Amino acid sequence: MIHQLRVYEIFERNKAAFHARFRDHAMRIMRTYGFDFVAMWESKNDRRTEFIYLPAWPDEAAKEAAWSKFRADEEWKEIKRVTYAEHGDLVGEIEDRVLTPTAYSPLASIGAAR
C-alpha cells in the first residue's frame, strides 16, 4: 500500500467555497473511482493557507487509473466550471507526492491490513 500526499494552496477570500466543493462534490466523485481518504488537514503560515489530504492506494497503477477517471469525469468538469465562474480560482499551487512506507514504519503493518 502507498499513500499520496496532496497539498493545495487555497485562498482566504474563497476558502469556504473550496471546502464546500471538496467536501460536497470532489470527495463524493473521487470515491466512485476508488479514492480511499485517510485524513485531511488545513495548515496556515505567514505565506499561505494550505489544504492537505492523504489518500491510500493499493499501488501506483490504481492511483493513476483513479486520477485519470476523476479528471475526465463530466460532472466534476461542470462543477469546476460553475465554481470558477462564481468564485474564481479556488486552488493555487499543488504539490503531489507518493509516500511508500519504510519496512520499519508502523504504517507498513497497517497498510497490509487495510
Side-chain angles (χ1 to χ4, degrees):
M1 171 158 294
I2 61 171
H3 290 83
Q4 182 181 22
L5 180 68
R6 298 279 295 181
V7 180
Y8 295 175
E9 175 187 21
I10 59 176
F11 309 113
E12 288 296 323
R13 70 180 182 277
N14 54 17
K15 182 170 75 170
F18 168 83
H19 283 295
R21 182 175 80 177
F22 196 89
R23 179 191 63 237
D24 300 340
H25 303 291
M27 285 181 67
R28 173 181 51 80
I29 296 167
M30 289 169 150
R31 282 189 175 115
T32 67
Y33 297 117
F35 284 68
D36 178 12
F37 296 100
V38 176
M40 286 125 192
W41 302 269
E42 188 174 297
S43 176
K44 187 174 182 178
N45 60 39
D46 58 344
R47 292 184 306 115
R48 67 188 202 172
T49 301
E50 297 172 331
F51 172 72
I52 302 140
Y53 67 105
L54 190 70
W57 302 101
D59 53 42
E60 186 90 24
K63 176 185 79 69
E64 292 301 321
W67 273 105
S68 291
K69 291 174 186 171
F70 173 67
R71 288 184 179 116
D73 186 274
E74 291 303 321
E75 181 186 7
W76 176 240
K77 289 179 184 179
E78 179 63 10
I79 289 165
K80 282 183 68 175
R81 187 192 67 73
V82 168
T83 55
Y84 177 80
E86 186 174 346
H87 303 286
D89 286 327
L90 298 184
V91 175
E93 291 181 34
I94 297 174
E95 295 177 35
D96 183 15
R97 298 184 188 127
V98 173
L99 307 174
T100 305
T102 61
Y104 54 88
S105 170
L107 284 177
S109 60
I110 292 170
R114 220 178 137 99

